[in-house]
Amino acid sequence: MNARYNDWTAILDTEIEAQQMPAIKPPTAMDLHELALHKFKERTQLLGNLLHSQDLAMVHAGRGIGKTHWALSVAFAVATGGTFLRWTALEARKVLYLDGELPGQVMQKRLAMHLPDCEPKPGYFRTFTPDLLDSEAVLPDLATTRGQGAINSMIEDDTALVVLDNLSAWARSGGRENDAESWAPIAAWLLGLRRRGIAGLLVHHSGKGGEQRGTSKKE
């Protein structure tokens, strides 16, 4: 009885989810002359030649190396029109930093480390930490349509950069990390960001061999 009930509720959830998804226009091709005149979103520099609008980038390293400090430094430079290492932002752009692991107080302390040097204008650096969730809530899963919807609700139309820190925390289902098929829904979501003119920066772990952990499809 319980198994049948669980199967039925799973099917119902899938149907409801499908009904809530917006209608998608079928793909169309353009004549060469039409394509030449079509106005795409302009690709602009967010942080020197390191990061542009619509870029999909990943930084990976072992535990304790400083991935989060690096990503926060990039994010603050973009949000303040500042400089990180040898790269400088031409202007301040809005950033959404999605942390999936750190306690709220730890994130506060890490953010405070950057404030004496550069303070973003209100609304230019928005962040999420799991401690903002209710005690019974779970972190959205980027590998699911419902999880993508929850994350999309935090992205404003004029957001220029979304940072996911880290990928393992935000994409938990869909199979093993080295399974290429499990990457497909996440890749589709990232390409959706690109079409909106938004850059994505993924913070990820390195595997034992020093390469990024999981399927090479990420690269």
Side-chain angles (χ1 to χ4, degrees), residues 92-113:
R93 302 291 300 278
K94 289 188 176 182
V95 174
L96 174 63
Y97 197 101
L98 301 174
D99 173 67
E101 284 192 334
L102 294 178
Q105 287 191 340
V106 174
M107 176 55 75
Q108 286 178 329
K109 291 178 180 179
R110 294 199 179 186
L111 293 173
M113 292 172 61

Side-chain angles (χ1 to χ4, degrees), residues 33-52:
H33 303 286
E34 291 180 314
L35 182 63
L37 297 174
H38 186 75
K39 298 296 184 181
F40 290 103
K41 290 182 180 295
E42 185 179 357
R43 186 169 180 264
T44 58
Q45 287 189 353
L46 296 182
L47 189 59
N49 60 3
L50 175 70
L51 192 64
H52 298 77

Side-chain angles (χ1 to χ4, degrees), residues 199-215:
L201 174 60
L202 307 180
V203 181
H204 192 33
H205 296 293
S206 295
K208 295 179 180 179
E211 300 295 326
Q212 62 88 19
R213 194 172 71 189
T215 176

Side-chain angles (χ1 to χ4, degrees), residues 91-173:
E91 62 176 323
R93 302 291 300 278
K94 289 188 176 182
V95 174
L96 174 63
Y97 197 101
L98 301 174
D99 173 67
E101 284 192 334
L102 294 178
Q105 287 191 340
V106 174
M107 176 55 75
Q108 286 178 329
K109 291 178 180 179
R110 294 199 179 186
L111 293 173
M113 292 172 61
H114 296 267
L115 292 178
D117 300 321
C118 51
E119 184 170 347
K121 293 183 292 186
Y124 271 68
F125 192 108
R126 296 166 55 245
T127 187
F128 171 90
T129 175
D131 281 0
L132 293 174
L133 292 170
D134 294 336
S135 59
E136 297 179 356
V138 296
L139 195 69
D141 186 352
L142 191 55
T144 67
T145 303
R146 182 175 295 180
Q148 291 177 6
I151 295 171
N152 287 340
S153 69
M154 292 187 281
I155 302 175
E156 298 177 335
D157 290 339
D158 56 351
T159 298
L161 172 64
V162 175
V163 183
L164 282 175
D165 184 6
N166 60 62
L167 184 58
S168 297
W170 286 100
R172 303 182 300 281
S173 64

Side-chain angles (χ1 to χ4, degrees), residues 16-26 145 148-149 152:
I16 293 174
E17 194 170 277
Q19 293 172 4
Q20 293 174 342
M21 292 179 63
I24 299 175
K25 294 182 179 179
T145 303
Q148 291 177 6
N152 287 340

